[in-house]
């Protein structure tokens, strides 16, 4: 039993970390924008080898739900506009994936429907991307230009905050999840 305890502790330390992202509050101004932030802890970012996010929403041609990742300029846990290193989500009828110097959009859809985007990125110990899969049921690979050869701007171990921004006048029912997993390993004892 005493030999098993250190292994159990090691396994417990190698678990996934779900980022607790609170729902966006109701808009406070007529521009309909609603924003909330959540911290990304340094140890969690340094151990991350798999970065997953899901965005589910009632997608219409006029609404916007955005997840943005970056480093807080003031160190206060707030990601200000312009400080994003990576942003993705739904914008006016299409999925988008963006960095400060790149912006990709999927094909535009005109109808309203419940949609879910799944984002899964594998990274090396230094944070450089290894593989990327992005898609939903209707658009299995909306960003084939970057999934074939994932660029460095898709992840940074230095990020310390994630921001959720919701805009638009249509019905809101967004749900999100962000997970950072360590690489799974198998230990076989004989």
């Amino acid at each position: 039993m005493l030999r098993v305890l250190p292994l159990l502790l090691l396994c417990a330390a190698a678990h996934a970390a779900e980022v607790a992202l609170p729902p966006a509050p109701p808009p406070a101004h007529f521009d309909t924008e609603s924003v909330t932030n959540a911290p990304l802890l340094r140890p969690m970012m340094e151990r991350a080898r798999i970065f997953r996010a899901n965005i589910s929403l009632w997608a219409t041609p006029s609404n916007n739900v955005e997840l943005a990742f970056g480093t807080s300029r003031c160190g206060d846990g707030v990601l200000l506009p312009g400080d994003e290193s990576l942003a993705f989500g739904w914008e006016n009828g299409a999925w988008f994936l963006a960095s400060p110097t790149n912006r990709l959009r999927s094909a535009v859809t005109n109808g309203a429907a419940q949609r879910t985007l799944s984002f899964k990125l594998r990274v090396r110990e230094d944070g450089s991307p290894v593989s990327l899969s992005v898609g939903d049921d209707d658009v299995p690979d909306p960003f084939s230009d970057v999934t074939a050869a994932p660029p460095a701007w898709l992840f940074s171990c230095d990020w310390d905050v994630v921001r959720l921004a919701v805009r638009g006048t249509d019905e809101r029912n967004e749900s999100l999840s962000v997970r950072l997993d360590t690489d799974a390993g198998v230990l076989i004892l004989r």
Side-chain angles (χ1 to χ4, degrees), residues 82-148:
D83 289 346
E84 311 87 352
S85 296
L86 171 69
F88 56 88
W90 181 262
E91 178 179 60
N92 301 338
W95 294 115
F96 75 92
L97 177 66
S99 76
T101 58
N102 301 279
R103 187 160 189 89
L104 304 166
R105 284 179 51 97
S106 69
V108 174
T109 60
N110 292 320
Q114 186 68 32
R115 300 178 74 101
T116 300
L117 180 76
S118 297
F119 180 98
K120 180 181 176 186
L121 177 69
R122 287 184 144 297
V123 298
R124 293 180 181 87
E125 189 173 333
D126 66 358
S128 59
V130 174
S131 65
L132 172 66
S133 63
V134 183
D136 73 7
D137 290 338
D138 295 329
V139 187
D141 192 3
F143 309 115
S144 57
D145 294 346
V146 295
T147 54

Side-chain angles (χ1 to χ4, degrees), residues 15-21 39-40 44 52 176-181:
H15 68 285
E18 186 86 25
V19 177
L21 192 63
L40 298 171
M44 177 175 57
R52 301 172 200 252
L176 306 129
S177 68
V178 176
R179 271 178 84 91
L180 295 154
D181 297 323

